Amino acid sequence: MALPERWDMEVDVAVLGSGASATTTAILASDNGAEVAVLERADVVGGTTALSGGVLWVPNNHHMAEAGIEDSREDALAYLNSLSLGMMDDELVGTLIDTGPEMLRYMEDNTPVSLHVFEGYPDYHPENPGGKPEGGRSLDNDLFPFEELGSWAERINHQPDAVFFPATMLEIDTGQVEAIPQDVLEARRARDMRSTGQALAGSLIKGCLDREIPVHTATRARELILDDSDAVVGVRAERNGEDYFVKARKAVVIASGGFEWNEDLVKAFLRGPMTAPTSSPENEGDGLLMAMDAGAALGNMSEAWWIPGIHVPGDEMRGRTFARLILAERTWPRSIIVNRYGKRFMNEAANYNAVGHAFHTFDPNTFEFINLPAWLIVDSRYQAPIARHRVGPDAPDWIRRAETLAELAAEIDVDAAGLEETVAGFNEGAVRGEDPDFQRGVSAYDSYNGDRSQEPPFTTLGPIDTPPYYAALIESGALGTKGGPKTNAQAQVLRARGGVIPGLYAVGNAMAGVTAMVYGGAGGTLGPGMTFGYIAGMNAAREPDHIA
């Protein structure tokens, strides 16, 4: 748009969004001498980061070395390249691997961010070249005391029914929490110590507050402002129902998340159906639309951080129905996922991004996505909660129940003969600890989220043979999209007609994903997001002032 007649605020760098990528950018820009402001569309801060597990995937990080886990640039490159199908940008991936450890050290040395190795958490494809079956690249957050945030503690994004237990994800995941003395737990509660994405988002917001970086909520960026030379010099936002013009003397950084909540953009760009986003409902592609208007080149637009999701009736966030990620539910013994023909179509215990791709299988004869709808099938001896609800006589109505597989198939409109045949075949292998069809239980990752009271592969394999039987509808979902404006290794947005758009950067899920279709391991979203936020913040602060 044309230059406005007035500026309501002037800064050096305007950062759009308040998740981990955005706040890392803001902190680095400030530390490099820039005057910074954060503009957040929602009334709360932290974005999808605050809803997430908060794990960072950073190859060759210093915590690995301290734990005696070997890694190298060569291993990390070999691993990602083994999964990329030739879709990754070599320069960007090299930058990610080289700069990630530097980013991590800087953030831990200069902000409240504090992490540790998520012990034993393997990469998502650990048997691939350069993979780490023993883990080390995925980093869990130390507990962060929300008492340090003052009034901002109530403004960190979270699900309406969230319960914040005073233990790290690692402690909860490995059962170490059972050994924590009661007085330690009470001391943690007294300081409102939180883990996972709450700890990461909270510590990063505290880093911004410590630097007196203003964080403006309920301020929705709508349009980039360009000067006569097509350099970005500001942004038009909406605030209190009116236009709010922010001048950015050096740069605007788009860090406003993906477009998974925008139905038109989902239909226009994604490779297949996606009906179950689990992220913040404000992620409607505002940054993407602004970048497109400014002439940005786009990349990776068909991809997302795929997941199998489930809608629980009544689950709402800020007036919109949200979905829940299905993880342990499909990994525990006595469970399978089937399509309308009653057939399995994947290794249910594989990582959720890989599982998500399976929903997009298209049959050219029937002209349909043959694996949608899908159903999680379990029996009465199944032990994991399904979206926090147990099977049994008290299970909610949306978890369907029947005394026989044929009756269950009729209840959910699935082919009965196909379901019975599938369960019989699965059971035959499961009792032996085998899955000839999809090799479930073979990978080290398959057993991690299953029943670890058993020995692999029975951590994930067990027969479905004890009635009554239960079914829950599974949908194609996403943690966020991973397509957007293409950037160079400096995080500058590239112009569709060549060159860069001066004064414009993009990071996180708002940029074209650095790892393309690859999800290397737990934290494969936040690690790259914060790394390129680190890069963008430094470079944006060093931009020359644009005249406007």
Side-chain angles (χ1 to χ4, degrees):
M1 65 172 289
L3 297 178
E5 295 181 359
R6 72 175 198 279
W7 294 107
D8 297 298
M9 179 171 63
E10 294 190 24
V11 292
D12 292 324
V13 178
V15 180
L16 313 182
S18 65
S21 303
T23 45
T24 299
T25 301
I27 287 168
L28 265 295
S30 177
D31 287 0
N32 281 272
E35 182 183 2
V36 184
V38 171
L39 310 183
E40 168 56 54
R41 170 181 169 175
D43 292 325
V44 293
V45 295
T48 301
T49 298
L51 304 177
S52 73
V55 176
L56 271 64
W57 191 78
V58 182
N60 205 23
N61 65 77
H62 63 275
H63 292 295
M64 295 181 75
E66 292 164 0
I69 303 171
E70 293 186 3
D71 200 5
S72 67
R73 185 180 197 272
E74 292 71 27
D75 277 356
L77 277 174
Y79 176 65
L80 291 174
N81 283 326
S82 75
L83 299 165
S84 73
L85 303 183
M87 299 297 289
M88 292 189 307
D89 182 297
D90 291 341
E91 183 181 11
L92 265 63
V93 172
T95 300
L96 169 66
I97 293 171
D98 293 339
T99 312
E102 177 186 322
M103 175 277 296
L104 181 64
R105 278 193 180 277
Y106 185 91
M107 297 305 289
E108 290 193 309
D109 288 345
N110 295 280
T111 78
V113 170
S114 181
L115 300 119
H116 54 268
V117 165
F118 202 137
E119 186 179 343
Y121 205 122
D123 283 340
Y124 281 168
H125 302 272
E127 285 75 32
N128 277 44
K132 297 297 175 185
E134 73 278 17
R137 291 170 174 162
S138 293
L139 303 170
D140 187 21
N141 287 270
D142 294 338
L143 294 172
F144 176 73
F146 264 50
E147 67 173 9
E148 294 186 7
L149 290 173
S151 62
W152 282 91
E154 302 301 319
R155 301 177 68 183
I156 305 295
N157 193 23
H158 60 81
Q159 291 182 349
D161 62 348
V163 177
F164 306 118
F165 194 75
T168 67
M169 186 188 295
L170 178 60
E171 288 173 331
I172 295 169
D173 197 67
T174 59
Q176 296 175 36
V177 67
E178 297 177 5
I180 299 174
Q182 191 62 32
D183 61 333
V184 173
L185 290 175
E186 290 302 323
R188 292 178 178 182
R189 287 192 181 95
R191 300 190 65 196
D192 195 8
M193 303 283 277
R194 301 188 192 179
S195 62
T196 63
Q198 290 285 294
L200 183 60
S203 59
L204 285 165
I205 289 295
K206 182 62 164 60
C208 290
L209 298 177
D210 288 344
R211 290 162 173 79
E212 298 184 346
I213 298 171
V215 180
H216 299 277
T217 56
T219 304
R220 183 179 185 180
R222 280 294 204 176
E223 191 174 5
L224 296 170
I225 301 171
L226 282 66
D227 66 11
D228 292 340
S229 67
D230 287 337
V232 173
V233 296
V235 62
R236 177 181 69 83
E238 294 174 353
R239 192 174 189 184
N240 299 322
E242 298 181 353
D243 284 341
Y244 188 80
F245 296 102
V246 179
K247 180 178 180 179
R249 292 181 288 261
K250 295 180 180 295
V252 172
V253 184
I254 298 173
S256 51
F259 58 86
E260 60 274 10
W261 285 87
N262 186 317
E263 292 184 14
D264 290 338
L265 294 177
V266 165
K267 290 177 181 178
F269 289 117
L270 292 189
R271 54 176 280 164
M274 196 287 294
T275 57
T278 63
S279 59
S280 291
E282 291 80 14
N283 290 358
E284 294 185 296
D286 292 353
L288 171 63
L289 295 171
M290 287 186 280
M292 290 169 68
D293 281 344
L298 303 181
N300 212 42
M301 293 301 297
S302 65
E303 289 296 336
W305 305 101
W306 303 110
I307 61 158
I310 190 166
H311 277 112
V312 175
D315 276 356
E316 288 193 352
M317 185 184 302
R318 295 188 283 284
R320 302 187 71 172
T321 301
F322 71 88
R324 297 181 186 271
L325 164 66
I326 293 299
L327 182 57
E329 290 91 335
R330 58 186 168 79
T331 303
W332 273 60
R334 299 181 175 274
S335 69
I336 56 173
I337 293 177
V338 301
N339 59 22
R340 73 187 72 180
Y341 303 104
K343 302 297 185 182
R344 294 175 67 214
F345 53 92
M346 60 180 168
N347 167 11
E348 296 90 347
N351 75 83
Y352 48 75
N353 186 66
V355 165
H357 281 274
F359 292 117
H360 298 149
T361 301
F362 188 77
D363 187 333
N365 294 320
T366 61
F367 214 75
E368 63 182 356
F369 291 100
I370 59 173
N371 295 329
L372 290 170
W375 294 87
L376 176 70
I377 308 294
V378 305
D379 72 2
S380 62
R381 294 176 64 189
Y382 171 81
Q383 294 297 308
I386 301 174
R388 305 188 183 186
H389 294 271
R390 297 278 182 180
V391 299
D394 297 327
D397 292 343
W398 56 267
I399 299 179
R400 309 292 185 85
R401 170 180 169 162
E403 290 300 319
T404 68
L405 290 171
E407 291 171 350
L408 186 67
E411 175 74 16
I412 61 177
D413 196 23
V414 162
D415 182 78
L419 179 60
E420 290 176 327
E421 180 182 1
T422 294
V423 170
F426 176 77
N427 288 352
E428 183 180 348
V431 296
R432 301 194 306 268
E434 299 175 357
D435 176 18
D437 293 326
F438 297 102
Q439 293 75 53
R440 178 169 162 181
V442 172
S443 171
Y445 179 80
D446 291 358
S447 290
Y448 191 85
N449 295 299
D451 180 4
R452 281 188 274 173
S453 68
Q454 307 296 319
E455 290 294 323
F458 297 105
T459 45
T460 188
L461 289 174
I464 302 168
D465 60 6
T466 307
Y469 301 98
Y470 299 86
L473 180 65
I474 306 299
E475 299 181 48
S476 171
L479 301 176
T481 54
K482 54 194 301 189
K486 294 179 70 172
T487 68
N488 59 20
Q490 289 73 50
Q492 295 171 293
V493 172
L494 301 177
R495 195 184 301 280
R497 295 184 179 275
V500 302
I501 300 177
L504 186 61
Y505 294 76
V507 298
N509 286 355
M511 72 185 287
V514 176
T515 57
M517 68 182 296
V518 178
Y519 202 157
T525 57
L526 290 170
M530 288 180 64
T531 298
F532 274 81
Y534 174 84
I535 292 168
M538 286 190 292
N539 290 326
R542 296 166 184 168
E543 284 266 2
D545 285 5
H546 300 294
I547 299 173

